[in-house]
């Protein structure tokens, strides 16, 4: 979309086009979650083309930058969905459990921490299905769920004399699986956060530094 005819009314297709570019930019680390949500809301409420153009003026054009994969320059969800589950749950009592690295999360995963801690890291995980439900139950303990920025995440859990943090909830990149985190925290805490892989952080930092030198 260009700056031509800025007063022309925007169509639903044009709004969705801008939304897709914003999702790609968030997945690439060009926008943080707060800025992405602010721009996305503005895109869907825009009345004219002139209101849409500034939302992506400082971003690459569609298709000019691919999402980084854990083992290469492009990221594809195709090879990460539909694999046999390697774990469907974790339980800890006066101790801890951890699921991280390369593993396959089951269609339904249940994590229970009783006076203990649990870690569920999906940044390098594969998925048994395109829709995953992660049920977390913490009693005087805590469970941390870590997801990559490009994953679609919904959070519906609640806490009693404890907390259920939903700051990691939000839309993902096109084609990503849908992960629904639910459950209950009693005198404990459950957190959901978006976090990049270490290698990806270093790559983005190098790109930023290179851009500053060129500028």
């Amino acid at each position: 979309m260009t700056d031509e005819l800025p007063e022309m009314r925007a169509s639903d297709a044009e709004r969705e086009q801008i939304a897709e570019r914003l999702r790609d930019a968030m997945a690439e680390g060009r926008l943080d979650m707060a800025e992405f949500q602010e721009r996305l809301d503005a895109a869907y409420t825009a009345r004219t083309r002139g209101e849409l153009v500034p939302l992506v003026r400082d971003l690459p054009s569609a298709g000019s930058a691919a999402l980084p994969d854990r083992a290469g320059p492009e990221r594809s969800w195709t090879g990460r969905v539909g694999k046999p589950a390697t774990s469907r749950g974790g339980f800890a009592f006066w101790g801890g459990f951890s699921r991280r690295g390369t593993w396959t999360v089951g269609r339904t995963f249940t994590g229970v921490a009783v006076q203990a801690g649990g870690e569920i890291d999906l940044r390098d995980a594969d998925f048994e299905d395109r829709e995953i439900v992660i049920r977390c139950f913490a009693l005087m303990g805590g469970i941390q769920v870590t997801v990559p920025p490009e994953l679609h995440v919904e959070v519906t859990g609640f806490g009693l004399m404890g907390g259920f943090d939903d700051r990691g909830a939000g839309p993902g990149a096109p084609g990503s699986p849908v992960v629904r985190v639910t459950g209950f925290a009693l005198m404990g805490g459950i957190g959901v956060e978006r976090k990049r892989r270490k290698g990806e952080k270093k790559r983005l930092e190098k790109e930023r530094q290179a851009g500053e030198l060129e500028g």
Side-chain angles (χ1 to χ4, degrees):
M1 183 182 297
T2 67
D3 292 286
E4 297 177 0
L5 304 175
E7 299 305 317
M8 179 175 286
R9 289 280 180 167
S11 67
D12 287 341
E14 289 169 334
R15 295 187 188 93
E16 189 57 39
Q17 179 185 3
I18 296 299
E20 288 296 325
R21 288 179 62 182
L22 293 173
R23 292 188 186 100
D24 288 345
M26 182 199 64
E28 293 164 4
R30 302 179 192 276
L31 297 175
D32 61 28
M33 195 62 192
E35 188 173 14
F36 164 73
Q37 195 62 55
E38 180 181 350
R39 294 194 190 193
L40 187 67
D41 291 343
Y44 282 125
T45 57
R47 293 177 297 174
T48 67
R49 287 181 172 182
E51 294 176 71
L52 289 174
V53 170
L55 300 177
V56 294
R57 182 171 284 147
D58 59 347
L59 301 176
S61 59
S64 64
L67 297 176
D69 194 6
R70 58 180 152 187
E74 296 184 356
R75 181 174 184 81
S76 173
W77 290 108
T78 305
R80 300 179 62 188
V81 178
K83 295 188 176 183
T86 59
S87 181
R88 298 184 185 277
F91 177 81
F93 177 69
W94 284 9
F97 73 84
S98 178
R99 301 290 184 274
R100 61 182 178 180
T102 303
W103 65 293
T104 302
V105 58
R107 189 174 293 106
T108 300
F109 182 96
T110 303
V112 179
V114 181
Q115 299 185 48
E119 177 187 21
I120 304 170
D121 192 333
L122 301 181
R123 288 176 293 176
D124 287 308
D126 295 319
F127 303 83
E128 184 180 24
D129 203 345
R130 296 203 65 82
E131 294 192 9
I132 299 294
V133 177
I134 296 180
R135 303 184 300 175
C136 297
F137 302 96
L139 174 61
M140 299 176 66
I143 298 177
Q144 182 65 44
V145 182
T146 305
V147 302
E150 65 271 13
L151 187 65
H152 184 105
V153 181
E154 301 174 4
V155 181
T156 58
F158 66 99
L160 177 62
M161 292 187 290
F164 207 115
D165 188 356
D166 64 353
R167 285 178 293 179
S176 79
V178 176
V179 174
R180 297 183 173 89
V181 183
T182 186
F184 177 66
L186 175 62
M187 300 176 67
I190 297 171
V192 182
E193 69 170 346
R194 292 181 181 268
K195 194 173 182 180
R196 301 189 181 283
R197 291 177 289 275
K198 292 182 179 179
E200 191 173 341
K201 288 181 180 179
K202 292 179 180 178
R203 180 185 62 81
L204 292 171
E205 180 62 22
K206 288 181 180 179
E207 289 182 357
R208 184 187 65 80
Q209 293 175 352
E212 290 177 352
L213 291 175
E214 292 176 0

